[in-house]
Amino acid sequence: MATTVNVNSMPQVDVDVNDLPPVDVDVTNLPDFSITAIGPMGPMTLNGIPSSYNVAIDSLPDLNLRIKEIPQVRAHVPANFRLGLSILGMELAALHLCGEAQVITEPYQPNPCERCGPSRLVYEPREAIGAVLHLKDAK
């Protein structure tokens, strides 16, 4: 014969602990504890640890980069250019240009030393210098 018990509600139980009995533990009279010997240990191996690791990136996310505005810059870069012609290490002719190059991303307004036009002094020689080349007839 089976009996079915149905519990519809449980009474609420409140427990207040106001006073606990004191607990006295005396740790001053503990026996000495020391390790006198360690028994033999078998051979130790590090199995399962790989000797090399490989790190790979399978895919990268899409990256969109947009430059909204190029900053206004006037950068002065020292320049030293040499263009030459040499044969077997012997220099026959060379053009050597040195000075300053500029990278300008701002609206160009020439500095006083960059102005071109009629306000510059032009060298005009007073006398024309000429040369005559005479060729000898090879007979």
Side-chain angles (χ1 to χ4, degrees):
M1 173 175 187
T3 304
T4 303
V5 176
N6 292 327
V7 178
N8 293 328
S9 66
M10 296 278 296
Q12 183 175 357
V13 177
D14 293 330
V15 176
D16 291 331
V17 178
N18 292 331
D19 293 324
L20 292 174
V23 176
D24 292 331
V25 177
D26 187 12
V27 293
T28 58
N29 296 328
L30 291 176
D32 291 339
F33 180 74
S34 64
I35 298 174
T36 56
I38 297 176
M41 298 177 70
M44 298 178 72
T45 61
L46 299 174
N47 292 333
I49 297 177
S51 61
S52 64
Y53 295 94
N54 294 326
V55 176
I57 299 173
D58 293 333
S59 65
L60 292 173
D62 290 337
L63 179 65
N64 293 325
L65 181 63
R66 185 175 56 129
I67 298 174
K68 183 176 180 183
E69 178 180 344
I70 296 175
Q72 294 186 0
V73 174
R74 180 178 284 223
H76 300 263
V77 181
N80 189 3
F81 303 105
R82 186 176 186 99
L83 178 66
L85 175 65
S86 64
I87 295 177
L88 298 174
M90 296 285 295
E91 185 176 89
L92 300 177
L95 175 65
H96 189 202
L97 301 173
C98 65
E100 180 181 85
Q102 290 186 10
V103 177
I104 302 173
T105 61
E106 63 186 10
Y108 180 71
Q109 295 294 325
N111 290 333
C113 63
E114 297 172 343
R115 299 200 192 282
C116 297
S119 63
R120 286 190 148 188
L121 294 176
V122 177
Y123 174 72
E124 295 180 11
R126 293 184 182 170
E127 295 180 18
I129 300 173
V132 177
L133 179 63
H134 296 282
L135 298 175
K136 288 184 178 181
D137 290 332
K139 292 185 181 182

PDB file of all heavy atoms in Angstrom, residues 89-105:
ATOM      1  N   GLY A  89      84.770  52.329 -62.878  1.00  0.00           N
ATOM      2  CA  GLY A  89      85.040  53.016 -61.626  1.00  0.00           C
ATOM      3  C   GLY A  89      85.662  54.388 -61.779  1.00  0.00           C
ATOM      4  O   GLY A  89      85.875  55.083 -60.792  1.00  0.00           O
ATOM      5  N   MET A  90      85.968  54.798 -62.973  1.00  0.00           N
ATOM      6  CA  MET A  90      86.537  56.131 -63.211  1.00  0.00           C
ATOM      7  C   MET A  90      85.397  57.081 -63.574  1.00  0.00           C
ATOM      8  O   MET A  90      84.662  56.839 -64.523  1.00  0.00           O
ATOM      9  CB  MET A  90      87.544  56.086 -64.373  1.00  0.00           C
ATOM     10  CG  MET A  90      88.763  55.238 -64.120  1.00  0.00           C
ATOM     11  SD  MET A  90      89.920  56.011 -63.007  1.00  0.00           S
ATOM     12  CE  MET A  90      90.408  57.414 -63.958  1.00  0.00           C
ATOM     13  N   GLU A  91      85.268  58.143 -62.811  1.00  0.00           N
ATOM     14  CA  GLU A  91      84.199  59.096 -63.065  1.00  0.00           C
ATOM     15  C   GLU A  91      84.570  59.967 -64.251  1.00  0.00           C
ATOM     16  O   GLU A  91      85.629  60.594 -64.278  1.00  0.00           O
ATOM     17  CB  GLU A  91      83.973  59.948 -61.825  1.00  0.00           C
ATOM     18  CG  GLU A  91      82.805  60.888 -61.946  1.00  0.00           C
ATOM     19  CD  GLU A  91      82.563  61.649 -60.657  1.00  0.00           C
ATOM     20  OE1 GLU A  91      83.159  62.730 -60.512  1.00  0.00           O
ATOM     21  OE2 GLU A  91      81.793  61.144 -59.823  1.00  0.00           O
ATOM     22  N   LEU A  92      83.706  59.989 -65.252  1.00  0.00           N
ATOM     23  CA  LEU A  92      83.934  60.806 -66.439  1.00  0.00           C
ATOM     24  C   LEU A  92      83.233  62.155 -66.336  1.00  0.00           C
ATOM     25  O   LEU A  92      83.789  63.177 -66.734  1.00  0.00           O
ATOM     26  CB  LEU A  92      83.467  60.065 -67.685  1.00  0.00           C
ATOM     27  CG  LEU A  92      84.154  58.722 -67.966  1.00  0.00           C
ATOM     28  CD1 LEU A  92      83.551  58.075 -69.182  1.00  0.00           C
ATOM     29  CD2 LEU A  92      85.645  58.919 -68.145  1.00  0.00           C
ATOM     30  N   ALA A  93      82.026  62.168 -65.839  1.00  0.00           N
ATOM     31  CA  ALA A  93      81.262  63.400 -65.700  1.00  0.00           C
ATOM     32  C   ALA A  93      80.293  63.237 -64.541  1.00  0.00           C
ATOM     33  O   ALA A  93      79.839  62.125 -64.239  1.00  0.00           O
ATOM     34  CB  ALA A  93      80.499  63.706 -66.974  1.00  0.00           C
ATOM     35  N   ALA A  94      79.994  64.333 -63.875  1.00  0.00           N
ATOM     36  CA  ALA A  94      79.056  64.271 -62.750  1.00  0.00           C
ATOM     37  C   ALA A  94      78.330  65.595 -62.625  1.00  0.00           C
ATOM     38  O   ALA A  94      78.888  66.657 -62.914  1.00  0.00           O
ATOM     39  CB  ALA A  94      79.787  63.946 -61.460  1.00  0.00           C
ATOM     40  N   LEU A  95      77.100  65.519 -62.233  1.00  0.00           N
ATOM     41  CA  LEU A  95      76.288  66.680 -61.907  1.00  0.00           C
ATOM     42  C   LEU A  95      75.929  66.541 -60.441  1.00  0.00           C
ATOM     43  O   LEU A  95      75.310  65.552 -60.039  1.00  0.00           O
ATOM     44  CB  LEU A  95      75.032  66.732 -62.788  1.00  0.00           C
ATOM     45  CG  LEU A  95      74.037  67.840 -62.473  1.00  0.00           C
ATOM     46  CD1 LEU A  95      74.668  69.205 -62.737  1.00  0.00           C
ATOM     47  CD2 LEU A  95      72.771  67.659 -63.263  1.00  0.00           C
ATOM     48  N   HIS A  96      76.326  67.518 -59.653  1.00  0.00           N
ATOM     49  CA  HIS A  96      76.125  67.436 -58.211  1.00  0.00           C
ATOM     50  C   HIS A  96      75.242  68.592 -57.776  1.00  0.00           C
ATOM     51  O   HIS A  96      75.599  69.756 -57.974  1.00  0.00           O
ATOM     52  CB  HIS A  96      77.485  67.494 -57.508  1.00  0.00           C
ATOM     53  CG  HIS A  96      77.407  67.217 -56.060  1.00  0.00           C
ATOM     54  ND1 HIS A  96      78.366  67.633 -55.186  1.00  0.00           N
ATOM     55  CD2 HIS A  96      76.503  66.562 -55.304  1.00  0.00           C
ATOM     56  CE1 HIS A  96      78.057  67.250 -53.968  1.00  0.00           C
ATOM     57  NE2 HIS A  96      76.926  66.601 -54.023  1.00  0.00           N
ATOM     58  N   LEU A  97      74.074  68.296 -57.231  1.00  0.00           N
ATOM     59  CA  LEU A  97      73.127  69.301 -56.756  1.00  0.00           C
ATOM     60  C   LEU A  97      72.915  69.094 -55.273  1.00  0.00           C
ATOM     61  O   LEU A  97      72.571  67.993 -54.835  1.00  0.00           O
ATOM     62  CB  LEU A  97      71.792  69.190 -57.492  1.00  0.00           C
ATOM     63  CG  LEU A  97      71.828  69.341 -59.007  1.00  0.00           C
ATOM     64  CD1 LEU A  97      70.467  69.024 -59.579  1.00  0.00           C
ATOM     65  CD2 LEU A  97      72.247  70.745 -59.379  1.00  0.00           C
ATOM     66  N   CYS A  98      73.125  70.138 -54.513  1.00  0.00           N
ATOM     67  CA  CYS A  98      72.837  70.032 -53.090  1.00  0.00           C
ATOM     68  C   CYS A  98      72.103  71.289 -52.655  1.00  0.00           C
ATOM     69  O   CYS A  98      72.191  72.329 -53.288  1.00  0.00           O
ATOM     70  CB  CYS A  98      74.110  69.818 -52.278  1.00  0.00           C
ATOM     71  SG  CYS A  98      75.247  71.196 -52.346  1.00  0.00           S
ATOM     72  N   GLY A  99      71.363  71.157 -51.607  1.00  0.00           N
ATOM     73  CA  GLY A  99      70.587  72.297 -51.124  1.00  0.00           C
ATOM     74  C   GLY A  99      69.440  71.805 -50.265  1.00  0.00           C
ATOM     75  O   GLY A  99      69.622  71.030 -49.346  1.00  0.00           O
ATOM     76  N   GLU A 100      68.258  72.272 -50.622  1.00  0.00           N
ATOM     77  CA  GLU A 100      67.091  71.969 -49.811  1.00  0.00           C
ATOM     78  C   GLU A 100      65.902  71.674 -50.710  1.00  0.00           C
ATOM     79  O   GLU A 100      65.658  72.391 -51.669  1.00  0.00           O
ATOM     80  CB  GLU A 100      66.792  73.184 -48.925  1.00  0.00           C
ATOM     81  CG  GLU A 100      65.616  73.015 -48.031  1.00  0.00           C
ATOM     82  CD  GLU A 100      65.379  74.269 -47.212  1.00  0.00           C
ATOM     83  OE1 GLU A 100      64.712  75.186 -47.728  1.00  0.00           O
ATOM     84  OE2 GLU A 100      65.863  74.324 -46.078  1.00  0.00           O
ATOM     85  N   ALA A 101      65.207  70.585 -50.400  1.00  0.00           N
ATOM     86  CA  ALA A 101      63.960  70.267 -51.089  1.00  0.00           C
ATOM     87  C   ALA A 101      62.818  70.579 -50.128  1.00  0.00           C
ATOM     88  O   ALA A 101      63.013  70.634 -48.911  1.00  0.00           O
ATOM     89  CB  ALA A 101      63.940  68.805 -51.500  1.00  0.00           C
ATOM     90  N   GLN A 102      61.642  70.792 -50.664  1.00  0.00           N
ATOM     91  CA  GLN A 102      60.493  71.098 -49.814  1.00  0.00           C
ATOM     92  C   GLN A 102      59.331  70.188 -50.156  1.00  0.00           C
ATOM     93  O   GLN A 102      59.123  69.821 -51.304  1.00  0.00           O
ATOM     94  CB  GLN A 102      60.049  72.553 -49.995  1.00  0.00           C
ATOM     95  CG  GLN A 102      61.001  73.566 -49.449  1.00  0.00           C
ATOM     96  CD  GLN A 102      60.414  74.966 -49.532  1.00  0.00           C
ATOM     97  OE1 GLN A 102      59.228  75.151 -49.823  1.00  0.00           O
ATOM     98  NE2 GLN A 102      61.242  75.955 -49.273  1.00  0.00           N
ATOM     99  N   VAL A 103      58.593  69.848 -49.112  1.00  0.00           N
ATOM    100  CA  VAL A 103      57.319  69.157 -49.266  1.00  0.00           C
ATOM    101  C   VAL A 103      56.267  70.139 -48.784  1.00  0.00           C
ATOM    102  O   VAL A 103      56.255  70.524 -47.615  1.00  0.00           O
ATOM    103  CB  VAL A 103      57.280  67.859 -48.424  1.00  0.00           C
ATOM    104  CG1 VAL A 103      55.924  67.206 -48.541  1.00  0.00           C
ATOM    105  CG2 VAL A 103      58.380  66.919 -48.857  1.00  0.00           C
ATOM    106  N   ILE A 104      55.403  70.574 -49.699  1.00  0.00           N
ATOM    107  CA  ILE A 104      54.431  71.616 -49.372  1.00  0.00           C
ATOM    108  C   ILE A 104      53.033  71.072 -49.609  1.00  0.00           C
ATOM    109  O   ILE A 104      52.685  70.695 -50.725  1.00  0.00           O
ATOM    110  CB  ILE A 104      54.661  72.876 -50.228  1.00  0.00           C
ATOM    111  CG1 ILE A 104      56.077  73.398 -50.018  1.00  0.00           C
ATOM    112  CG2 ILE A 104      53.633  73.946 -49.900  1.00  0.00           C
ATOM    113  CD1 ILE A 104      56.460  74.531 -50.936  1.00  0.00           C
ATOM    114  N   THR A 105      52.225  71.025 -48.547  1.00  0.00           N
ATOM    115  CA  THR A 105      50.833  70.592 -48.692  1.00  0.00           C
ATOM    116  C   THR A 105      49.875  71.719 -48.344  1.00  0.00           C
ATOM    117  O   THR A 105      48.682  71.508 -48.267  1.00  0.00           O
ATOM    118  CB  THR A 105      50.542  69.376 -47.780  1.00  0.00           C
ATOM    119  OG1 THR A 105      50.751  69.741 -46.425  1.00  0.00           O
ATOM    120  CG2 THR A 105      51.418  68.196 -48.154  1.00  0.00           C
TER     121      THR A 105
END
